[in-house]
């Protein structure tokens, strides 16, 4: 049902309904090995109520542009939940071991608890950092040897899990695992920035899925297992798809070679820039109203300026004047794959005028004006013809095939990836400086008076 | 080593499910157009909130005098619910926007 926007909502509601049944079923029907029912109903319902109310309020209030943060935050909650379960279960188990001695049957359980804790904590810590980063509260941070240190943390944590399985009486090891996993999660996301964030969020998402699946093993619960694995597999695939859209290997994203590429580009950055030409607002209005076909390329700048509504207004006015307006959307435009579509959908832009990259690239040849709103890297021709560029090989929107290109940016500063864009210096291109929202508003007024 | 093999044979059915679900997961994503990837991600986010079931079990089994277990379990239930409810509501909000088109 998720394969089509029209039915996706129903799919989501179905899933929510299924989840409700699973929760209610667990509360009232669950019996442990000795056939006892669950207790502590008051605590359970209080927890459900608090989580439910806070969750609903947070989800209702969040702005569409802040969606990736929210997803990341919720993901972290799930990870923390999985980690907490492991902690409690371990305490329970070690108590059992202390009173009844070590039994072989515990090995599987210990493995599941250990890995659940490890993955859940990494996911939690990582998601929290990702959340802070998307908020702008946490800055990119890296130091020499960070990769190595991370590796050590991870290996020691895994070793601790193995040791714990061999000798479960070493209960304190569980806290060693917890601390190392949290540190690993923090350090792992810290250096990753910019366009790579969505990939990380998706990866952490699949981590939490896997952690949930371990919970399924622990309780021999098929619902948890199925849900967890489903998300784990889906999330992993989605992560890889995203990497493909940016032509980056997962390894590159995780090591954060955009950072490295930056410095290299800055060092050899004395490349000839040429001159760019500016275009005035009224000229832009003129050019656009007399065009037959206009293609809008929305980017992060549009999202930041919250200009999606104004953008839709511009589209409407142009359409009234008989101009064909379409949107060309790069798979990684915005802050998450498909995030731009959500933003435009919020502004009521019809789903039919949103073109995916391949379609858009076919249509650029017949386009008179391309209006680029705060997108940099996804239209950078260097991805096609400069093998030394860090984004070389990334599929881009080939806007230079259109008759003319107007780029709206706040300044000539390079975008996310920190790479100069030759497009801006091409004779076909004109620059229209200013905040996306302000420019679009003025443009709408201008076009009305044309 | 032996115990791991034991574990595998004891949970054979579960392992089949795991493998099956991996295929289902891949199949599901493969069909979703990229315009829907954000809602999909947040939907998946909500679904892995099934950990809440574990949290409820933990909570429900905690002895009433074990405050550490109670507090941790309670936290787990709250966080898990946040994940589930928040995830579904956010996804619904996003998908609602796609529907508004005429």
């Amino acid at each position: 049902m998720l394969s089509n926007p029209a039915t996706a909502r129903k799919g989501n509601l179905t899933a929510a309904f299924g989840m409700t049944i699973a929760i209610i079923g667990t509360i009232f029907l669950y019996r442990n090995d000795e056939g006892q029912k669950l207790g502590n109903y008051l605590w359970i319902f209080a927890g459900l109520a608090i989580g439910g109310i806070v969750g609903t309020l947070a989800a209702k209030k969040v702005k569409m542009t802040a969606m990736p943060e929210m997803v990341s935050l919720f993901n972290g909650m799930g990870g923390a939940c999985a980690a907490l379960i492991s902690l409690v279960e371990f305490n329970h188990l070690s108590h059992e071991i202390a009173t009844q001695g070590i039994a072989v049957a515990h090995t599987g359980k210990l493995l599941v608890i250990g890995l659940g804790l490890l993955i859940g904590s990494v996911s939690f810590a990582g998601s929290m950092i990702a959340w802070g980063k998307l908020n702008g509260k946490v800055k990119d941070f890296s130091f020499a040897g960070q990769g190595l240190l991370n590796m050590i943390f991870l290996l020691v944590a895994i070793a601790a899990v193995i040791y714990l399985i061999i000798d479960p009486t070493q209960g304190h090891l569980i806290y060693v695992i917890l601390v190392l996993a949290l540190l690993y999660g923090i350090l792992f996301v810290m250096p990753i920035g910019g366009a790579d964030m969505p990939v990380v969020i998706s990866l952490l998402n699949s981590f939490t899925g896997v952690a949930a699946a371990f919970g399924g093993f622990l309780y021999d619960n098929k619902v948890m297992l199925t849900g967890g694995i489903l998300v784990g597999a889906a999330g992993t695939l989605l992560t890889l798809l995203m990497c493909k859209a940016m032509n980056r290997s997962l390894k590159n994203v995780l090591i954060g070679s955009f950072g490295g590429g930056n410095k290299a580009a800055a060092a050899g950055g004395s490349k000839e820039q040429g001159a760019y030409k500016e275009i005035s607002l009224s000229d832009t209005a003129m050019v656009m109203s007399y065009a037959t076909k206009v293609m809008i390329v929305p980017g992060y700048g549009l999202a930041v300026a919250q200009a999606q509504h104004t953008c839709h207004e511009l589209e409407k006015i142009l359409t009234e004047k008989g101009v064909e307006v379409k949107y060309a959307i790069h798979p990684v435009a915005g802050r998450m794959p498909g995030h731009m579509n959500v933003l435009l959908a919020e502004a009521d832009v019809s789903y039919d005028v949103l073109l995916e990259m391949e379609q858009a690239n076919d249509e650029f040849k017949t386009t008179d004006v391309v209006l680029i709103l705060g997108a940099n890297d996804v239209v950078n021709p260097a991805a096609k013809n400069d093998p030394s560029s860090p984004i070389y090989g990334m599929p881009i929107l080939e806007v230079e095939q259109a008759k003319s290109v107007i780029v709206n940016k706040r300044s000539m500063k390079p975008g996310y990836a920190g790479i100069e864009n030759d497009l801006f210096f091409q004779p076909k291109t004109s620059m229209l400086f200013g905040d996306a929202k302000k420019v679009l508003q003025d443009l709408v007024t201008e076009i009305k008076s044309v | 080593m032996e115990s791991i093999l034991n574990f595998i044979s004891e949970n054979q059915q579960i392992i089949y499910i795991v493998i099956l679900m991996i295929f289902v997961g891949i199949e599901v994503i493969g069909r979703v157009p990229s315009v829907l990837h954000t809602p999909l991600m947040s939907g998946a986010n909500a679904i892995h909130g099934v950990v809440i079931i574990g949290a409820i079990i933990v909570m429900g089994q905690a002895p009433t005098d074990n405050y550490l277990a109670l507090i941790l379990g309670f936290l787990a239930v709250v966080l898990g619910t946040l994940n589930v409810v928040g995830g579904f509501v956010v996804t619904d909000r996003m998908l609602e926007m796609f529907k508004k088109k005429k």
Side-chain angles (χ1 to χ4, degrees), chain A residues 39-40 59-60 71 219 337 341, chain B residues 35 38 45 58-60 62 92-93:
Chain A
N40 299 323
K60 288 257 183 211
V71 171
Y219 299 111
N341 303 82
Chain B
V35 281
T38 291
N45 194 6
V58 160
M59 186 80 250
D92 189 57
R93 263 187 71 194

Side-chain angles (χ1 to χ4, degrees), chain A residues 80-322:
Chain A
C81 181
L84 286 172
I85 294 172
S86 285
L87 272 185
V88 178
E89 279 302 317
F90 181 78
N91 280 334
H92 187 66
L93 196 66
S94 65
H95 183 70
E96 226 168 72
I97 289 168
T99 50
Q100 297 163 11
I102 306 166
V104 186
H106 286 146
T107 308
K109 233 178 174 183
L110 280 166
L111 178 73
V112 169
I113 289 178
L115 290 180
L117 177 67
L118 184 66
I119 299 174
S121 314
V122 168
S123 175
F124 166 66
S127 299
M128 287 302 107
I129 297 295
W131 174 60
K133 278 196 164 195
L134 291 169
N135 260 343
K137 284 190 190 119
V138 180
K139 295 270 168 300
D140 293 1
F141 170 80
S142 62
F143 52 84
Q146 188 172 14
L148 188 70
L149 187 68
N150 251 350
M151 224 50 218
I152 294 173
F153 279 158
L154 185 64
L155 289 177
V156 174
I158 292 173
V161 173
I162 295 171
Y163 193 80
L164 198 61
I165 293 168
I166 298 168
D167 183 4
T169 51
Q170 303 290 322
H172 59 274
L173 274 178
I174 199 90
Y175 299 105
V176 176
I177 300 171
L178 175 68
V179 172
L180 285 175
L182 289 176
L183 281 175
Y184 178 78
I186 294 171
L187 287 178
F188 154 70
V189 181
M190 263 310 194
I192 300 171
D196 286 343
M197 280 318 282
V199 182
V200 178
I201 297 175
S202 168
L203 190 66
L204 290 171
N205 208 351
S206 68
F207 278 1
T208 313
V210 174
F214 280 122
F217 264 113
L218 194 57
Y219 299 111
D220 202 1
N221 185 312
K222 304 261 182 328
V223 183
M224 276 175 90
L225 191 73
T226 335
I229 293 292
L230 189 68
V231 174
T236 310
L237 185 71
L238 193 55
T239 311
L240 294 175
L241 276 178
M242 269 185 247
C243 287
K244 213 172 105 198
M246 300 194 295
N247 190 46
R248 316 246 288 117
S249 73
L250 188 58
K251 200 182 107 215
N252 268 342
V253 172
L254 297 183
I255 295 173
S257 76
F258 258 176
N262 255 348
K263 277 160 223 145
S270 52
K271 220 172 107 187
E272 196 181 313
Q273 309 256 303
Y276 57 86
K277 87 177 169 258
E278 258 190 87
I279 187 168
S280 72
L281 213 74
S282 48
D283 284 347
T284 312
M286 201 68 87
V287 171
M288 288 183 84
S289 9
Y290 291 112
T292 2
K293 187 169 175 184
V294 170
M295 193 81 88
I296 299 175
V297 180
Y300 182 60
L302 175 94
V304 172
Q306 297 265 343
Q308 61 273 34
H309 295 279
T310 331
C311 190
H312 180 50
E313 228 175 288
L314 175 72
E315 174 213 322
K316 271 194 297 195
I317 289 191
L318 285 174
T319 316
E320 273 162 31
K321 286 189 181 272

